[in-house]
Amino acid sequence: MHIGIVCKVIDNFGDAGFSLRLAKALAERGHSVDLFHDDSATFRALYPTPDNGNLKLIDAIKTNIETEGLQKPDLILEPFGTSSEQTAYRFDLILKRQFPKTPWLLIDYLSSEKWIESFHLSNSIDPNTGHVTTFFYPGFTEQTGGLIHCDYPRHLAGKPLSTNKTCLRVFVFAYPNAPIRGLINTCNSLNSQGNEISIGLAGNSLTLEPDDCASAIPFVAQSEFDKLLAQYDMLFVRGEDSFVRAQLAGKPFIWQIYPTEDNAHFEKLACFFDLYANGLGADCKLALRNSWLAWNGVNTHGDFGMIWMALLPHLPELDVHAMKWQSRILNGKELVKEVLTWHGSQTLTLKEKPDL
Ligand code: TRH
C-alpha cells in the first residue's frame, strides 16, 4: 500500500529518528512510503545514503505539497502529532484537507504510564472538518501498540557481556544539562587506581581534557546506531528512540528523559523505572534509582560520580537483568505490525460501511 508519514521536527534527533525508523521498516515490507518533513539537515545526518527505493523523503518546506499532485495514500501516520505552538508550517493540515477520508493514525510519545492503555486506538473527530484522528500509544504492555523492534539486527541480540569488569566501555548520549563532567572525573580517578574505564561521548560538545578517559565519537547513520551501542558495556541514553535501542541492546542503561516544562517527565521516568527495575535486588534497585535520578538532575545523595560508583558493584546483576529485559522486548508487541493490523481492520470497516 502507499503510506504517508508526517514528521515535524521540534528539536534534537528523536522526532526524525522515530519517523525514519518507522518509514524504513514499512518500506522494507514492500510498502511505498512518502515521509513528509520540515528538516532536511536532520534527516541527512540520520539517513546520509538513502538505500530503499520504496522510501521517498519530501521536504514540505521546499516542496509545495498543495500542488505537487501527491499519490493518494491508503494510510497516514503522524508521529508525536506536533501542534501549531511547536511548528509554524502545519503541512499536516494540508494533507488532511487533500485526503480527508484517509485513515489517520497519530502515534503518541512512548510511555509506560497505565492511562495510555485505555486511550490506545481511541478516535477524535475534528468538529469543524469531521476529520477522524485515531490515537496510537506505543508502550511496553499487551494493551498498547508495542515498540519498533522488527528492525533490530538479531545477530546482535543475546550476546553476553565481557566479564572483565576492570575494563568498562561506557557510551554517553545525553542532553547538555546531564552531569557528564562529574562522570568523567570519577572515571579518571577510578582509572588512576588501575581500572580501565573508557567513555564514548556522542552528540555532545563538552570540552574534553587531554587526560580525560572520554573521547567524542562521530555521529553515525541511524542504520549503524545499534552496532555502535553493541560495542559498549553500559549505556547512557536519552529521549525516546535511543532509550528503546538501549533496551534492545540488552545492556545496563541509564535514561535521561526529555525534560518538559511542567516536570511531568519525572512521573514518566519513575513509572518506567518501576516497570524496568522489577525483579532487581533491593540494593541494586536503590543504586540504579539513585543513579537515574541524579543523571536527571534529582540529586539527593551528593555528586553524581559517587552515586554512580555505588552502582558499579551491581553490574553483574544488571547485565543479567538487561538480557532478560531484551528478550521481553524482542518477544513483545511489534509496533509496525500493530499499525498494519489496525489499518487492516480499518479497511474492513470501510468495505462494510463505505460511507464512513
Ligand atoms: O535526539 P533525542 O533527544 O530526541 C528527542 C526525543 O525523541 C524526545 O522524545 C522528543 O520529544 C525530542 O527529541 C523532541 O533522542 P532520541 O529519541 O534518542 O533520538 C536520537 C536519534 O538519533 C535516534 O534515532 C538515534 C539517532 N542517532 C544516530 O542515528 N546516530 C548517532 O550517532 C546518535 C548519537 C544518535
Side-chain angles (χ1 to χ4, degrees):
M1 72 171 144
H2 183 58
I3 300 172
I5 295 181
V6 175
C7 174
K8 288 164 279 184
V9 176
I10 301 305
D11 59 12
N12 302 311
F13 295 96
D15 308 313
F18 178 87
S19 303
L20 178 64
R21 193 176 292 290
L22 178 62
K24 283 199 293 188
L26 290 163
E28 293 290 326
R29 288 169 179 242
H31 300 290
S32 67
V33 180
D34 283 348
L35 204 175
F36 301 95
H37 66 87
D38 56 1
D39 187 333
S40 287
T42 301
F43 276 98
R44 257 196 310 280
L46 292 163
Y47 193 45
T49 13
D51 57 3
N52 190 312
N54 290 339
L55 170 53
K56 205 161 73 181
L57 270 65
I58 301 173
D59 184 328
I61 307 285
K62 300 198 181 99
T63 315
N64 182 341
I65 58 174
E66 198 101 52
T67 58
E68 187 64 15
L70 301 169
Q71 178 188 352
K72 180 177 179 310
D74 305 296
L75 169 63
I76 294 180
L77 306 174
E78 184 191 6
F80 309 129
T82 315
S83 65
S84 301
E85 291 76 52
Q86 296 166 298
T87 185
Y89 180 36
R90 293 292 305 272
F91 52 90
D92 58 313
L93 298 179
I94 295 172
L95 293 167
K96 280 179 182 166
R97 275 198 301 276
Q98 283 191 2
F99 311 113
K101 292 287 185 193
T102 298
W104 188 288
L105 205 56
L106 190 155
I107 302 177
D108 211 317
Y109 289 99
L110 172 61
S111 174
S112 48
E113 293 157 299
K114 199 89 185 105
W115 63 264
I116 67 168
E117 295 179 351
S118 43
F119 284 84
H120 182 51
L121 298 183
S122 58
N123 287 345
S124 101
I125 301 176
D126 181 320
N128 308 322
T129 63
H131 183 270
V132 180
T133 296
T134 302
F135 285 78
F136 182 102
Y137 286 88
F140 301 90
T141 65
E142 289 304 303
Q143 292 71 37
T144 70
L147 301 168
I148 299 180
H149 59 75
C150 59
D151 63 342
Y152 189 71
R154 286 306 188 260
H155 71 275
L156 291 177
K159 288 240 174 341
L161 281 178
S162 63
T163 52
N164 169 347
K165 276 306 145 222
T166 58
C167 163
L168 189 67
R169 298 157 299 174
V170 179
F171 172 85
V172 176
F173 178 47
Y175 299 119
N177 63 342
I180 303 171
R181 177 39 69 186
L183 173 66
I184 295 172
N185 291 350
T186 302
C187 296
N188 289 345
S189 67
L190 284 170
N191 285 354
S192 62
Q193 298 150 31
N195 293 288
E196 297 158 48
I197 303 176
S198 59
I199 296 176
L201 205 49
N204 194 287
S205 54
L206 187 81
T207 319
L208 295 175
E209 308 306 327
D211 55 5
D212 275 338
C213 62
S215 54
I217 45 180
F219 196 91
V220 298
Q222 191 186 59
S223 54
E224 300 303 308
F225 191 64
D226 293 321
K227 275 195 266 315
L228 175 68
L229 296 187
Q231 296 163 27
Y232 292 87
D233 303 311
M234 182 176 216
L235 310 171
F236 287 75
V237 287
R238 71 186 207 191
E240 192 165 312
D241 191 61
S242 61
F243 162 59
V244 172
R245 304 320 280 192
Q247 296 171 53
L248 288 168
K251 308 280 175 79
F253 67 96
I254 294 187
W255 178 33
Q256 186 183 20
I257 192 168
Y258 183 78
T260 50
E261 268 124 44
D262 59 4
N263 282 341
H265 59 288
F266 286 124
E267 177 54 32
K268 279 181 84 164
L269 184 76
C271 214
F272 177 78
F273 182 86
D274 294 344
L275 180 70
Y276 178 76
N278 185 25
L280 286 173
D283 299 350
C284 178
K285 188 186 279 189
L286 180 61
L288 187 66
R289 183 192 300 280
N290 293 341
S291 299
W292 279 35
L293 289 176
W295 192 245
N296 282 276
V298 184
N299 219 333
T300 50
H301 298 76
D303 87 329
F304 178 77
M306 302 305 289
I307 295 167
W308 185 67
M309 267 168 58
L311 182 67
L312 295 180
H314 299 286
L315 273 180
E317 180 179 353
L318 288 171
D319 291 339
V320 175
H321 185 78
M323 295 289 273
K324 284 196 202 129
W325 187 262
Q326 176 193 59
S327 61
R328 169 185 164 144
I329 299 287
L330 285 173
N331 299 307
K333 269 203 169 166
E334 212 295 318
L335 184 146
V336 179
K337 187 162 161 284
E338 293 300 310
V339 164
L340 295 171
T341 306
W342 174 81
H343 181 264
S345 66
Q346 294 313 297
T347 19
L348 265 181
T349 318
L350 283 172
K351 267 211 201 78
E352 284 147 17
K353 307 189 197 73
D355 61 347
L356 260 182

